Amino acid sequence: MIICVPAELPAEALVSRQLDKHFGVSGTLAPRFWATPGMWMWQRSQLVDPRKGQPVYCAGGPAKLLDLAGMRHAAAVGAGVRYQVWSRVVQGTRPAMPWPQLLLQHIADPAKLSLEDAIVRYNNQPRVIAMRMHNAVTYGAGRLNLRELEMFQAGPMAYQHYSASIALTADTLITADGTRLAPASDAFAHRVTYLEQANRYLADLDEDQRLLAVAL
């Protein structure tokens, strides 16, 4: 979750134990953002939970001190590499039905399609089996996220744009006035709608607007 911190909230309140009190969420600060490379040492105190290293990871801070463009670019590059891996892994398999579609079928008529049967149908698809087999012998960053199957199947550019966008927006965005933006479901179309709304909001941010990343 990304939180746009209201201007009146003091920096001392931006700690994990205050998240529920001020934002109504239970979670912990997440080092998600990169600090801008041109930051002066005295500006480091404006970052939330900064970590050592280059780039400097932090849980938030003023937008002007966060390398949002660099995060987008890196996410897009990484997505391009993952897509190439994915395309080789699933080569020769037919497009698979994404899990959200099967889940909706189950919800619409549980007697016709039980949850257990929906899981079996999803996992038995050759394309899903190919991804699972890759993950079975792969560790770390090389694994493929099964939740992203629908995004992979949309094509390389769609997947790169998705990855670059979600690097900044995460799964939920709380605006400075407390409005919560989130996908209506896990379906790719609903995620795209959310990303459109969240990216439009972030594009108009004041450079002094503080952002905070939270893991729920």
Side-chain angles (χ1 to χ4, degrees):
M1 172 182 288
I2 303 300
I3 298 174
C4 296
V5 181
E8 64 274 11
L9 197 65
E12 294 75 14
L14 304 184
V15 294
S16 294
R17 62 180 180 274
Q18 295 288 334
L19 294 177
D20 187 52
K21 174 182 178 181
H22 294 290
F23 306 110
V25 297
S26 298
T28 57
L29 300 180
R32 185 183 185 91
F33 294 107
W34 293 359
T36 181
M39 179 183 64
W40 296 97
M41 286 299 296
W42 60 268
Q43 292 176 309
R44 187 183 177 94
S45 62
Q46 299 180 49
L47 300 177
V48 179
D49 196 23
R51 307 295 175 89
K52 294 180 180 180
Q54 290 294 332
V56 175
Y57 276 94
C58 62
K64 63 184 176 185
L65 298 184
L66 305 177
D67 188 9
L68 303 182
M71 290 172 61
R72 282 195 189 97
H73 178 72
V77 171
V81 174
R82 284 195 303 279
Y83 186 88
Q84 292 302 316
V85 172
W86 176 82
S87 64
R88 292 195 299 270
V89 167
V90 302
Q91 185 174 4
T93 62
R94 298 177 60 183
M97 181 178 289
W99 170 247
Q101 293 183 27
L102 282 167
L103 181 60
L104 285 176
Q105 290 183 19
H106 160 68
I107 294 173
D109 192 348
K112 184 176 181 180
L113 181 65
S114 69
L115 181 59
E116 293 77 12
D117 288 342
I119 293 172
V120 170
R121 283 182 56 183
Y122 177 74
N123 286 330
N124 282 349
Q125 297 177 100
R127 180 159 288 189
V128 175
I129 290 175
M131 294 176 67
R132 293 176 64 203
M133 192 65 250
H134 168 80
N135 287 345
V137 296
T138 305
Y139 303 92
R143 293 170 63 85
L144 298 171
N145 189 344
L146 289 172
R147 291 185 60 196
E148 295 184 340
L149 171 63
E150 198 170 6
M151 297 72 159
F152 278 123
Q153 293 186 154
M157 290 304 297
Y159 182 64
Q160 283 189 288
H161 289 318
Y162 165 80
S163 299
S165 295
I166 205 167
L168 300 187
T169 64
D171 296 314
T172 307
L173 174 72
I174 297 181
T175 67
D177 65 3
T179 301
R180 183 178 298 224
L181 305 177
S185 77
D186 281 337
F188 193 18
H190 288 157
R191 286 184 174 271
V192 170
T193 299
Y194 163 67
L195 291 176
E196 289 175 339
Q197 296 171 339
N199 279 315
R200 190 179 303 118
Y201 181 82
L202 292 176
D204 294 331
L205 280 184
D206 184 272
E207 65 176 9
D208 290 320
Q209 173 66 59
R210 291 174 296 169
L211 301 176
L212 190 67
V214 177
L216 302 180

